[in-house]
Amino acid sequence: MNVELPDATVEFAAVVARALMADDAPDGAGLFGVLDEMGVLDLAGSESADPDNAQLNAVVVLDEIARAGKRAPVAETIWARSRGIDTGRGFVAVASEARMAHDRLVPYGRFALSLLSGTCDAPVPIDLPADVRPARIEIDHDHLWLPPTTPAPALAQLDQAFAWRAASAATVGAMARATDLAIAHAHQRVQFGRPLASFQALQFRLVECHWRLLGLRLLVREAGWRADRNDGRADVVSALAWLYARDVGRIVTKHTHQIFGAIGFTREMGLTTVTGSAATLRALYPARDAAAVVRAGRAWVDDAPPSTILGGFLTDHQAVPA
Amino acid sequence: MLTTVTRTDFDFSNEQEAFRAELGQFLHERLPDDWQGIFVEGDEGWQLSLDICRELGERGWLTMAWPAAYGGQDASIWLQAILQEEYWAHNEPRGPQYMNVNWLGPALIHFGTDEHKAYFLPKLAAGEMMWAQGFSEPDAGSDLAALKCSAVPDGDGFVVRGHKIWISYGDIADYCFLLCRTDPTSRRKEGLSVLLVDLSLPGVERRPISSTLGYHRINELFFDDVFVPRSALLGPQNDGWRVAMTALAFERSGSARYARSARTLGLMEQRHGDEWDDTRWEQYASLLAFARATELVNYGVISKKETGEVPRVEASAARIHNSLLEQALADFAEQTTGLDFIVYGADDHAVDNGELESMWRNSFAATVTAGSYEIQSGIIAHSLGMEGRR
Ligand SMILES: Cc1cc2nc3c(=O)[nH]c(=O)nc-3n(C[C@H](O)[C@H](O)[C@H](O)COP(=O)(O)OP(=O)(O)OC[C@H]3O[C@@H](n4cnc5c(N)ncnc54)[C@H](O)[C@@H]3O)c2cc1C
């Protein structure tokens, strides 16, 4: 047992983080190119430089990208390339699943040049119709809202366990960013003659953000690590990661907004962007499916319940056909 | 420059799992079916705990990760983690002796003289010595630095006078890890020392405090001019705060309380899972997720310890996870187990010998004992650069 990251992963994540943090780091399309050059988009594909840790590296990097406040459909592209799908000019958006309440909501659709359509096994890139325009909804997410007149394509479904890991990693990064922003704000904003950060009630909110993220991050990494090994519990741990990410996302969102006060709701602060993007992920990947996978995987050998959480799951359980 | 290569691994090895199975089997056979731990079992439980600890000591199953020179086997710290998990999951058959391994032994190894090590460590490894932690006082709870218990240097020793309260196992312990003021002119964290006090010395009085928390749980210790030899001093005189804080950091990270939570979750599922609808299962699955995150944070602390660090902030985070998990379980039990959670073990209607009830009742103390939730949060806030009046 050793829950520390491999050295190569730490180094790679640091390189990516530096590129993301650079003053002139681009967003959207430009960022996509930069990440492509660094090999991020091929992390889990046949060109991967570190195939043994492909999924672990993917979640670590997705976390970094979200923490830097950058947005592009990176997870979708990593996934598509891992399946040998030619993503062409790069941008690809994947509608997550047909079961969601609004199956016309496409993550990162605003950036997309093509949509992956079809089933998980045989996704087909399709060009977006010219009349499809991103619709603005209240919170500024990077999604695309297909107008009702457009027949919704048979949208591709991300491999569910991958989606849970990617969504969890993006949630950790986004919530870490929200926490970073809130800590900085708490130091800078003065009320009653003292910085907000000196009030214990607010400190404790930030402390909870911190320890929740510590645990969540480890869980997300474990999910990636198990996926790399085709471990029988990879899907279950991915589902657990996503269930916890959903809870942590809600908790951190409430705490950080509370710390910002009114100014947190302005677009300039950037807080609603990160908290909103995490909320979008929660809407796209319901808890129901993850809980069903967890439930289906529960079993233990002896009469007495096990003394570890994973001891309570079948080891050969595959929730989603690969 | 030499670089270390980290091999990430979220599993215990096969040999470690085999050891877990062997240990689990032993505990299953050795403990009565209705074993609930010494807080529930009273004097009989305490005697059984002593017997079992001796047996565990004979098998070398108490202090495996300690250096061989101190009665250990130089085993991996992860084997020690498995020991902790299995004991906690089996309602801690070691009773107070879990502390010996968790924080007392490590503190003795860290700060003790050769004589301390030679005298105490073999006894701890053999499972034949019980300790109490004498920190809290009536006017010094969270604000421990306000403590008044004095140990005035006198010839070749100290004369101890004072009153300690809420001391777990104070009624049965052989020795006390006593934090007291050795410089009478000092204030707050200065001028404190740790003394290893034999509780059979003249002038020591023990008084159990009646409470809802169970037997041996909380006691008062009175020291009425107790003469303690100088050899009882652990670490430098007047630098006891550092000694105590190091011991506390070991304490917060060493206890595998989360393993008992894993077992309790399983118990609830076993009895009631079939009755739960999808929404309840969603809630339960989320609880399992939090519990797994909790395990991992504890493993993170152990990974750090393996490198020789004393992980204070991570230990506080682990402690918060462990205690809030217990309370989350208690909430879930209230919502899902009908009357199970409220029927005491001695009652004819008790389910699983009242295990759930005991968990529920004690869960409220989880965020108070061993450094409260607020104190742990303060430690983390400090590490995040947040200061101010607390
Ligand atoms: C089951 C149990 C076993 C124990 N065993 C031992 C033992 O073996 N040895 C020992 O020495 N002690 C023991 N204790 C005592 C324990 O360490 C204290 O209860 C603890 O330190 C809190 O002190 P207190 O009870 O006096 O509460 P107080 O210090 O009065 O605090 C009451 C509440 O106020 C909060 N609070 C206090 N100050 C602040 C602040 N500045 N900011 C925010 N919140 C604050 C606390 O967190 C707590 O929630 C035990 C306690 C329990 C419940």
Side-chain angles (χ1 to χ4, degrees):
Chain A
M1 179 83 71
N2 182 357
V3 304
E4 303 284 323
L5 286 177
D7 299 332
T9 302
V10 173
E11 280 159 30
F12 185 59
V15 170
V16 174
R18 270 199 297 279
L20 293 165
M21 296 295 181
D23 284 345
D24 55 352
D27 204 352
L31 172 71
F32 207 73
V34 172
L35 294 175
D36 203 1
E37 258 172 46
M38 285 194 289
V40 166
L41 305 180
D42 282 308
L43 273 176
S46 55
E47 318 256 299
S48 170
D50 183 11
D52 291 346
N53 292 310
Q55 300 295 334
L56 175 60
N57 291 339
V59 293
V60 170
V61 167
L62 290 171
D63 174 352
E64 289 290 354
I65 293 170
R67 185 163 192 175
K70 301 292 179 184
R71 288 171 298 162
V74 179
E76 289 78 353
T77 312
I78 292 176
W79 173 78
R81 292 198 188 174
S82 78
R83 298 280 154 155
I85 299 164
D86 179 6
T87 57
R89 284 173 293 172
F91 271 95
V92 57
V94 183
S96 59
E97 57 173 65
R99 273 167 296 161
M100 64 199 208
H102 295 289
D103 61 0
R104 288 167 288 119
L105 188 67
V106 181
Y108 298 109
R110 189 146 69 91
F111 294 137
L113 298 181
S114 64
L115 273 179
L116 281 184
S117 163
T119 66
C120 214
D121 295 334
V124 184
I126 58 160
D127 285 334
L128 283 178
D131 61 341
V132 174
R133 290 284 171 273
R136 190 163 193 92
I137 65 168
E138 261 320 296
I139 296 177
D140 179 23
H141 307 311
D142 292 320
H143 55 238
L144 168 137
W145 191 263
L146 295 171
T149 49
T150 310
L155 295 169
Q157 185 179 355
L158 267 173
D159 160 348
Q160 210 175 19
F162 177 89
W164 287 330
R165 288 193 296 279
S168 307
T171 301
V172 182
M175 293 300 100
R177 179 169 183 78
T179 306
D180 293 344
L181 292 171
I183 290 178
H185 179 74
H187 277 110
Q188 178 252 322
R189 168 81 171 157
V190 172
Q191 285 293 281
F192 300 97
R194 295 158 56 184
L196 294 182
S198 69
F199 293 101
Q200 194 186 54
L202 298 185
Q203 288 178 358
F204 283 11
R205 286 180 183 267
L206 291 167
V207 163
E208 181 171 4
C209 298
H210 176 82
W211 64 257
R212 293 264 182 203
L213 289 170
L214 189 72
L216 175 59
R217 193 167 260 139
L218 287 169
L219 191 51
V220 176
R221 289 174 181 179
E222 178 185 12
W225 182 86
R226 288 195 186 279
D228 282 324
R229 271 141 204 83
N230 280 325
D231 181 288
R233 288 168 299 193
D235 290 353
V236 154
V237 177
S238 303
L240 289 175
W242 178 232
L243 288 166
Y244 193 45
R246 295 171 55 85
D247 287 345
V248 173
R250 278 191 294 268
I251 293 167
V252 174
T253 295
K254 278 179 212 146
H255 286 335
T256 52
H257 273 293
Q258 192 66 22
I259 277 155
F260 265 94
I263 204 170
F265 304 105
T266 61
R267 294 195 192 285
E268 290 80 353
M269 279 298 124
L271 184 64
T272 54
T273 314
V274 277
T275 54
S277 70
T280 307
L281 289 171
R282 295 200 293 278
L284 289 169
Y285 302 104
R288 185 184 62 232
D289 301 335
V293 165
V294 170
R295 182 178 185 176
R298 286 296 273 172
W300 51 86
V301 184
D302 301 326
D303 282 350
S307 40
T308 60
I309 294 301
L310 291 199
F313 286 98
L314 300 168
T315 48
D316 57 355
H317 184 66
Q318 283 283 324
V320 185
Chain B
M1 193 178 75
L2 275 177
T3 52
T4 50
V5 177
T6 307
R7 226 188 123 260
T8 308
D9 193 345
F10 283 88
D11 278 327
F12 289 99
S13 68
N14 290 340
E15 297 79 58
Q16 288 166 345
E17 288 297 358
F19 174 67
R20 183 196 292 284
E22 187 187 351
L23 176 62
Q25 186 61 30
F26 169 80
L27 294 172
H28 180 67
E29 285 164 10
R30 188 65 189 76
L31 290 169
D33 283 347
D34 58 356
W35 171 255
Q36 293 281 317
I38 78 163
F39 298 140
V40 179
E41 311 284 346
D43 284 344
E44 268 174 44
W46 163 40
Q47 284 307 329
L48 183 66
S49 167
L50 267 178
D51 292 345
I52 286 184
C53 275
R54 284 201 193 95
E55 279 177 56
L56 293 172
E58 277 163 22
R59 288 169 180 255
W61 285 356
L62 286 173
T63 55
M64 289 179 93
W66 287 11
Y70 302 139
Q73 299 169 33
D74 288 311
S76 151
I77 191 167
W78 294 104
L79 268 189
Q80 194 74 42
I82 288 175
L83 284 172
Q84 305 277 58
E85 289 185 346
E86 290 307 310
Y87 293 147
W88 275 95
H90 288 85
N91 288 317
E92 196 41 276
R94 293 171 301 173
Q97 296 200 56
Y98 86 90
M99 297 195 294
N100 298 2
V101 186
N102 260 17
W103 60 266
L104 184 74
L108 289 170
I109 292 171
H110 211 84
F111 293 106
T113 60
D114 288 345
E115 288 73 29
H116 288 145
K117 291 174 192 169
Y119 182 73
F120 290 117
L121 295 176
K123 291 188 169 53
L124 303 190
E128 53 193 34
M129 194 173 224
M130 295 190 289
W131 283 73
Q133 183 189 72
F135 287 0
S136 305
E137 295 182 8
D139 292 326
S142 304
D143 185 12
L144 185 58
L147 69 85
K148 296 197 194 92
C149 179
S150 66
V152 180
D154 182 4
D156 199 25
F158 304 88
V159 175
V160 179
R161 187 170 189 79
H163 176 191
K164 294 286 175 180
I165 195 167
W166 316 126
I167 310 303
S168 300
Y169 320 104
D171 54 341
I172 51 177
D174 304 303
Y175 269 78
C176 180
F177 190 92
L178 185 77
L179 185 62
C180 49
R181 203 165 283 288
T182 35
D183 176 356
T185 63
S186 66
R187 290 196 63 249
R188 308 287 301 162
K189 299 172 185 175
E190 322 255 289
L192 301 175
S193 300
V194 168
L195 297 180
L196 309 173
V197 179
D198 179 349
L199 289 177
S200 66
L201 287 173
V204 175
E205 190 195 340
R206 317 157 187 245
R207 280 190 213 154
I209 300 171
S210 164
S211 81
T212 55
L213 298 174
Y215 302 105
H216 317 300
R217 200 71 206 272
I218 42 181
N219 303 272
E220 286 175 289
L221 290 178
F222 295 90
F223 299 88
D224 188 8
D225 289 341
V226 179
F227 182 79
V228 177
R230 197 173 169 74
S231 58
L233 178 67
L234 181 70
Q237 187 169 333
N238 298 334
D239 197 15
W241 185 258
R242 188 167 60 90
V243 179
M245 289 306 113
T246 305
L248 281 178
F250 286 128
E251 178 183 31
R252 280 164 198 160
S253 63
S255 135
R257 298 174 70 116
Y258 56 87
R260 195 178 45 188
S261 298
R263 175 192 157 93
T264 310
L265 280 163
L267 275 179
M268 287 195 271
E269 180 182 335
Q270 218 166 29
R271 284 190 57 81
H272 298 281
D274 289 346
E275 305 155 11
W276 297 338
D277 62 12
D278 286 354
T279 309
R280 199 58 92 195
W281 262 96
E282 240 175 78
Q283 207 184 343
Y284 180 68
S286 296
L287 208 46
L288 291 174
F290 179 36
R292 181 60 183 162
T294 299
E295 285 178 350
L296 293 175
V297 171
N298 281 275
Y299 295 155
V301 171
I302 300 172
S303 289
K304 278 251 153 62
K305 272 192 192 167
E306 211 175 8
T307 64
E309 275 183 59
V310 181
R312 288 176 205 276
V313 176
E314 292 85 351
S316 292
R319 177 89 193 96
I320 290 180
H321 275 90
N322 294 345
S323 53
L324 292 195
L325 176 62
E326 285 175 31
Q327 295 187 347
L329 250 68
D331 285 349
F332 188 76
E334 268 198 51
Q335 293 164 30
T336 58
T337 65
L339 290 177
D340 288 11
F341 79 95
I342 204 111
V343 186
Y344 184 64
D347 194 290
D348 288 346
H349 301 283
V351 176
D352 291 326
N353 309 307
E355 184 157 357
L356 219 49
E357 189 275 339
S358 167
M359 178 280 295
W360 175 83
R361 183 165 29 88
N362 280 286
S363 67
F364 306 107
T367 43
V368 175
T369 181
S372 68
Y373 167 83
E374 287 78 12
I375 295 302
Q376 309 306 327
S377 295
I379 292 170
I380 298 175
H382 181 79
S383 78
L384 294 176
M386 291 184 287
E387 295 296 344
R389 280 170 251 163
R390 297 224 173 91

